[in-house]
Amino acid sequence: QVQLVESGGGLVQTGGSLRLSCAASGRTFISYRMAWFRQAPGKEREFVAAISWSDGTTYHADSVKGRFTISRDNAKNTMYLQMKSLKPEDTAVYYCAAKPGSGYIGSVLGYDYWGQGTQVTVSS
């Protein structure tokens, strides 16, 4: 049974930092791309960042470039999202997801597996 379990969310002040983790289990993800999405109240789920599990190639949304960094630890089967210089508009539930093979990564379509989400709240 495939599981993606997020952790690390919380309440932080503007300008603060958080590191989210996504622990993956239940299958080999070597041919997958792993991603972070977020969803704020009343808004659609939006792409944040993605990483190729095999070679570590990363992709970041323009809104988080220079502030967020995605990474993975193959030995631990865990993906991370280091978030710095947080803003109130970063407040959302953050989800990790897994998508097989290649193809467009910026849409929720095509992602086979999702975690349950972790809340990030940035106070002003």
Side-chain angles (χ1 to χ4, degrees):
Q1 180 182 359
V2 174
Q3 278 194 313
L4 301 178
V5 180
E6 302 98 334
S7 61
L11 174 64
V12 64
Q13 291 185 334
T14 297
S17 299
L18 281 174
R19 189 178 80 156
L20 305 183
S21 299
C22 173
S25 62
R27 67 159 297 134
T28 301
F29 289 94
I30 193 65
S31 63
Y32 276 63
R33 296 183 187 186
M34 308 288 288
W36 289 98
F37 284 80
R38 66 186 181 185
Q39 188 166 20
K43 295 188 176 182
E44 292 187 352
R45 196 166 296 189
E46 66 171 356
F47 172 78
V48 175
I51 188 166
S52 172
W53 205 256
S54 59
D55 64 9
T57 301
T58 61
Y59 313 84
H60 294 82
D62 288 344
S63 60
V64 305
K65 277 181 182 176
R67 300 189 300 122
F68 292 9
T69 303
I70 191 171
S71 63
R72 92 271 193 243
D73 184 330
N74 284 5
K76 295 182 178 180
N77 238 25
T78 300
M79 177 176 67
Y80 303 98
L81 185 68
Q82 179 66 53
M83 305 186 295
K84 299 180 180 179
S85 302
L86 283 161
K87 306 174 182 180
E89 51 264 44
D90 295 317
T91 295
V93 177
Y94 284 70
Y95 299 90
C96 66
K99 176 184 175 71
S102 57
Y104 182 58
I105 57 170
S107 167
V108 297
L109 300 178
Y111 283 87
D112 287 353
Y113 306 108
W114 291 86
Q116 83 288 350
T118 186
Q119 177 71 46
V120 171
T121 303
V122 184
S123 64
S124 57

